[in-house]
Amino acid sequence: MNKTNMNLKLVAMTAAAFFVQGGLTLLPLPAVAASDSVPLVRCCGDDMTVYRDFGEREGIQRLMEDFMRDLLADDRTRPFFEKVDQQRVILMLTEQFCHAAGGPCEYRGRSMTDAHAGMGVKREHFNALVEVLQKSMNRAGIPFRSQNRMLAVFAPMYRDIEQR
């Protein structure tokens, strides 16, 4: 099995663990070595459905702007975002989501490990962020199937973000 197929299998297994009975259920995922890094993958190959469902780059940027407001409004996530360059975070998230959705964007940011080093992100913070993101996507009217396809891409990143 080549590396791409292995990554897709990992994403599918992660998605199955996360999306149980039509809702998000966060289950423990296997531990990995600190040196393992989850590459930024695309959810959809050449299928542009998710990219279109997210409103293409403009829709993704609007979503990320709303998401940032929601992150700042939530007591669980606010401490991680209130003293950072919020416009830069919005830009980097827009690039990440656009790329992951199969759009024509290139993510130019740092690795997730480097970007989150020293922040003290725990599993409960990561879970809170996912919950806030789902609320933002629901409010934006993004179809549930496309939400799940994107979340399946980003779910494995907890290993690069969470600090034990």
Side-chain angles (χ1 to χ4, degrees):
M1 182 178 296
N2 68 32
K3 188 172 181 172
T4 301
N5 286 341
M6 287 175 58
N7 284 339
L8 291 174
K9 186 174 182 180
L10 173 64
V11 168
M13 289 174 12
T14 302
F18 270 63
F19 308 110
V20 177
Q21 297 178 355
L24 179 66
T25 302
L26 296 173
L27 301 174
L29 296 174
V32 295
S35 63
D36 291 345
S37 180
V38 177
L40 185 60
V41 298
R42 291 179 181 259
C43 72
C44 324
D46 292 331
D47 181 0
M48 298 292 283
T49 303
V50 173
Y51 181 64
R52 285 192 295 271
D53 284 350
F54 271 75
E56 300 182 351
R57 183 177 172 83
E58 294 78 20
I60 292 169
Q61 182 168 336
R62 278 192 308 277
L63 173 66
M64 293 303 114
E65 290 167 355
D66 290 342
F67 180 42
M68 179 60 72
R69 280 191 291 276
D70 292 345
L71 289 167
L72 292 168
D74 191 295
D75 292 338
R76 302 168 300 171
T77 55
R78 181 184 315 109
F80 297 98
F81 296 95
E82 64 187 349
K83 294 181 182 175
V84 300
D85 182 347
Q86 295 161 9
Q87 290 307 309
R88 173 131 176 95
V89 172
I90 290 168
L91 173 64
M92 293 298 97
L93 288 172
T94 299
E95 286 181 1
Q96 265 191 323
F97 271 69
C98 180
H99 174 84
C105 304
E106 178 183 340
Y107 174 64
R108 298 170 291 161
R110 297 181 292 166
S111 72
M112 293 298 94
T113 302
D114 290 345
H116 296 89
M119 292 178 66
V121 177
K122 302 289 184 215
R123 178 67 56 93
E124 60 265 21
H125 304 128
F126 185 85
N127 292 350
L129 180 135
V130 171
E131 181 184 316
V132 171
L133 176 60
Q134 281 190 294
K135 289 178 184 177
S136 298
M137 291 188 295
N138 285 336
R139 201 170 44 253
I142 297 167
F144 188 72
R145 182 171 187 270
S146 289
Q147 290 184 34
N148 282 350
R149 289 178 76 184
M150 287 292 281
L151 288 171
V153 169
F154 290 108
M157 289 182 186
Y158 87 93
R159 295 179 292 219
D160 292 337
I161 295 170
E162 181 182 343
Q163 296 167 11
R164 299 177 214 309

